[in-house]
Amino acid sequence: MSFPIRLATRASRLALWQTEHVAHLLNNAGFATEIVPMQTTGDAVQDRSLAKIGSKGVFTEELEESLRRRETHLAVHSAKDVQSSIPSDLELLAFLEREQVNDVVLSFNEQFSLDKPGIVLGTSSTRRKAQLRRFYPNATTAEARGNLQTRLRKLEEGQFDALVLAYAGVHRMGYDHLVRHVLPAHQFVPATGQGSIAIECAADLDEDLKVQLKTALDHPATHTCLLAERAFLHTMEGGCSIPSFALATLDAEGLLRLHGGLISLSGEEYVEEIQHAEAAGARGLGVAVADSVLARGGREILASIREHRG
């Protein structure tokens, strides 16, 4: 191919690691690549929580605009940052093989314990804050915005006793040695897409090129799981400012399991649902689990959250 595939990415170290990984896969498939870093609203605005600046496209909008202007061919996102509804002129082309999905607790203190009274845990995630309030009421949470290195600096300065983060980013950045606890995924169910990298393109990108790019990048089992999780998120009308959670797993026989739910900001109200379906019914499974969660108290939780935020 005579032109390089231009990859739009956030400029953080983790985002660049992810994009370099995508470039490596494309290079192995015979494509030349060029990485195009850019700053998103979520990167630029650090003095407010994600819930307050509005989560829809906060880490993706600038990258998507570059696709529309034909400045780039692909946008590389953390799948959990992608909004629940994709504009019709764009599409999610591929999902890379998923990393371990768990949330983990990081501390410089090797003897750190989650059971100690009065500990302060740093996180910018509405979901994690709510889950921590439910499962570790002895702890308090504090806002921890910024990239991974910024958060670790704040931890080292003593602003928190520990950080709660996705294992995938911690592992990719080489900070496994700071992990003190791995939170069980059946209890701290992760956000939709956590651990996977999503590849977005313009819907009218050349069809033959799309097929070649998808073949080089897509992990079919992860893609199936993400279809179910994203259908759940879309039906819940949720973004990363809503404390919903969803984790799909696919077994060797092609049976898909989806664990989805919603938790109130206080952590007191909690609705979860687990259902199974064949892999071909991934989207329908996501809708069914979300409909059940909404019918069993989820609508009231969402209404309460929206009222709380005014």
Side-chain angles (χ1 to χ4, degrees), residues 235-236 262 271 289-300 302:
T235 307
M236 296 291 292
L262 183 67
V271 183
V289 170
D291 283 343
S292 178
V293 169
L294 290 170
R296 292 173 44 237
R299 283 193 182 88
E300 290 75 15
L302 286 176

Side-chain angles (χ1 to χ4, degrees), residues 154-173:
K154 292 177 179 179
L155 176 63
E156 201 163 19
E157 291 170 352
Q159 295 187 31
F160 331 107
D161 296 303
L163 288 168
V164 185
L165 298 163
Y167 171 78
V170 171
H171 177 63
R172 288 165 181 161
M173 289 289 93

Side-chain angles (χ1 to χ4, degrees), residues 28-45:
N28 284 348
F31 291 97
T33 53
E34 181 181 343
I35 294 174
V36 184
M38 53 191 70
Q39 188 176 58
T40 66
T41 301
D43 298 311
V45 181

Side-chain angles (χ1 to χ4, degrees), residues 193-230:
Q194 184 161 304
S196 180
I197 298 168
I199 308 299
E200 190 177 21
C201 68
D204 61 358
L205 187 67
D206 179 80
E207 287 298 327
D208 288 339
L209 179 58
K210 281 200 280 191
V211 170
Q212 294 175 56
L213 294 170
K214 183 171 182 174
T215 300
L217 297 173
D218 195 48
H219 186 254
T222 299
H223 201 135
T224 297
C225 291
L226 268 288
L227 287 178
E229 292 175 22
R230 288 187 53 76

Side-chain angles (χ1 to χ4, degrees), residues 145-161:
R145 290 291 316 282
N147 61 40
L148 181 53
Q149 288 72 31
T150 298
R151 296 185 203 199
L152 286 170
R153 189 196 73 236
K154 292 177 179 179
L155 176 63
E156 201 163 19
E157 291 170 352
Q159 295 187 31
F160 331 107
D161 296 303

Side-chain angles (χ1 to χ4, degrees), residues 91-106:
E91 69 176 83
L92 291 175
L93 181 68
F95 294 99
L96 273 63
E97 184 172 5
R98 196 173 214 166
E99 179 57 81
Q100 182 179 323
V101 300
N102 301 70
D103 287 332
V104 292
V105 181
L106 271 66

